[in-house]
Amino acid sequence: MNPEKEEPDRTREGVIRRAYRWGRRKLAERGGPAATALYLYSERLRRSGTGWRYSFVRLEELLAWSLSWAPSLSGFDLVIGVPRSGLLVAGVIAARLGKPLATPETLRSGLCWRGGPGAGPTDKAGRVLLVDDSVHSGKTMNLVAAGVRETLPGAVVETAALIAAPGSERMVDYFFRTVKVPRLFEWNMLHVKKGALLCDLDGVICENCPPGTDGDEKEYSRWIGNAKPYLVPSFEIDCILSARLEKYRTETESWLRKNGVRYGKLLLWDLPDKDSRKGLFSEYKISRVKEVKPEMVWESNPGQAADIHRATGIPTLCVDTMTMHG
């Protein structure tokens, strides 16, 4: 389904917003320390002035909240999850309450999961709960709910979202918690892009280098070629930043191609040897982040993630701890 193209906001406020975004983009594109400092300063002012801060919700929180919420949702004959993220929440609720579980697609086939192997018929579904992980505009929920009601014309279909944006609470019959926007969810961060992204390599896109491997050149080269992929986004990463040395570019690019990682730039450390990096990791990454000026950074190391955000003000997700700075 292709949504209609949204008409630009032609009000005075809309024109001002578009002019601001244009100026911000142009400033981000300019090089040099003065332009970079001005860009980062303006971004800090924008975020502090509006109270702008990412709300990050971890997968463990989704599970805990769903389990706490489930007892208040008793009395339904069937639980339907809105794929993909809503199915996570719906599955927990159905399991806790011992109710059949379906998706809109299986529902159209007249099937649901009843707890045993395989799927059974969706008979006797008089009261149905349609579940998504979150609600903001309400468009997705309204569209799916209309389809479910058409499939089950005799059923009472009620809607639920684990997380509601402030002001969106009444768009569903039930919600569990309000979470401010902008927000990022761990369970869909690999599929929903939040602006220009700069991403660490080892410990994020691929596994961390095993202890002791870095000091053995033959073992290290072998590891680069065979490292296990870890968090590979389904979208294109704007820039990959790694503390690997520049001399490993060919092997690194080969691994990225082999594992289907899409990216714009690959920045490696142009130093003569690994020993030259000691004590300079945060300094190096901060300098490259300032050069690229992304809208978000994913970093594996907790200390370096904190340093990057402290020095730049750019929202930085530490993947090791799943903690959002900013």
Side-chain angles (χ1 to χ4, degrees):
M1 181 176 181
N2 294 321
E4 294 182 7
K5 185 177 180 181
E6 186 176 344
E7 286 295 318
D9 184 352
R10 301 187 186 281
T11 64
R12 180 174 178 272
E13 292 76 12
V15 172
I16 291 173
R17 280 196 297 269
R18 288 199 299 278
Y20 168 77
R21 287 195 293 266
W22 179 86
R24 177 172 172 265
R25 185 173 65 252
K26 289 299 181 183
L27 188 59
E29 291 171 355
R30 293 188 62 181
T36 296
L38 180 59
Y39 172 80
L40 294 176
Y41 178 69
S42 67
E43 285 296 282
R44 284 183 186 274
L45 284 180
R46 177 176 70 89
R47 293 187 179 110
S48 62
T50 60
W52 191 101
R53 185 180 179 86
Y54 262 104
S55 301
F56 182 72
V57 185
R58 296 179 293 114
L59 189 55
E60 289 89 343
E61 291 174 303
L62 175 142
L63 178 59
W65 294 355
S66 299
L67 289 170
S68 296
W69 190 31
S72 68
L73 299 172
S74 60
F76 289 92
D77 303 307
L78 175 66
V79 180
I80 302 172
V82 179
R84 164 175 170 177
S85 299
L87 195 53
L88 281 170
V89 182
V92 174
I93 293 171
R96 170 53 62 91
L97 299 179
K99 297 298 180 181
L101 174 67
T103 68
E105 184 176 348
T106 63
L107 192 68
R108 286 192 291 271
S109 302
L111 299 173
C112 65
W113 292 275
R114 293 188 172 276
T122 56
D123 53 350
K124 300 179 181 178
R127 190 171 178 227
V128 175
L129 183 66
L130 178 63
V131 180
D132 207 348
D133 65 328
S134 64
V135 62
H136 189 188
S137 69
K139 291 180 181 178
T140 298
M141 180 63 82
N142 290 337
L143 182 64
V144 177
V148 171
R149 291 185 176 106
E150 184 178 338
T151 305
L152 297 174
V156 175
V157 178
E158 299 177 66
T159 58
L162 181 70
I163 296 167
S168 302
E169 296 90 344
R170 294 186 179 181
M171 292 180 178
V172 289
D173 298 304
Y174 308 95
F175 75 96
F176 181 73
R177 183 158 298 190
T178 301
V179 175
K180 292 198 308 181
V181 293
R183 58 196 186 188
L184 179 65
F185 301 146
E186 181 183 355
W187 55 91
N188 66 12
M189 58 183 268
L190 298 178
H191 307 289
V192 179
K193 189 175 183 181
K194 301 287 185 177
L197 174 66
L198 181 145
C199 191
D200 188 13
L201 178 54
D202 300 346
V204 179
I205 299 174
C206 74
E207 63 177 339
N208 267 315
C209 184
T213 302
D214 191 56
D216 186 317
E217 191 62 28
K218 185 179 291 185
E219 283 298 313
Y220 184 67
S221 295
R222 185 180 296 114
W223 173 78
I224 287 179
N226 297 286
K228 295 177 182 177
Y230 181 35
L231 301 178
V232 178
S234 60
F235 51 79
E236 180 177 302
I237 303 166
D238 298 273
C239 181
I240 297 173
L241 172 61
S242 175
R244 293 184 188 182
L245 298 184
E246 181 65 38
K247 69 178 183 177
Y248 300 112
R249 177 170 292 275
T250 300
E251 297 96 317
T252 300
E253 289 177 340
S254 176
W255 184 92
L256 291 168
R257 283 194 302 272
K258 181 175 70 174
N259 288 279
V261 181
R262 296 185 292 137
Y263 63 97
K265 294 181 182 178
L266 172 63
L267 300 179
L268 303 179
W269 211 342
D270 193 7
L271 289 176
D273 53 60
K274 296 171 186 172
D275 289 340
S276 303
R277 304 176 302 180
K278 289 183 178 178
L280 299 174
F281 289 94
S282 285
E283 182 180 331
Y284 161 69
K285 290 188 176 181
I286 289 168
S287 67
R288 301 315 293 265
V289 169
K290 287 182 176 180
E291 174 188 316
V292 175
K293 297 186 280 291
E295 293 174 80
M296 183 177 288
V297 176
W298 292 358
E299 166 60 44
S300 63
N301 182 277
Q304 292 171 32
D307 289 343
I308 289 168
H309 178 255
R310 191 181 302 114
T312 67
I314 294 172
T316 303
L317 174 67
C318 176
V319 171
D320 273 10
T321 59
M322 283 299 170
T323 302
M324 176 67 79
H325 299 274

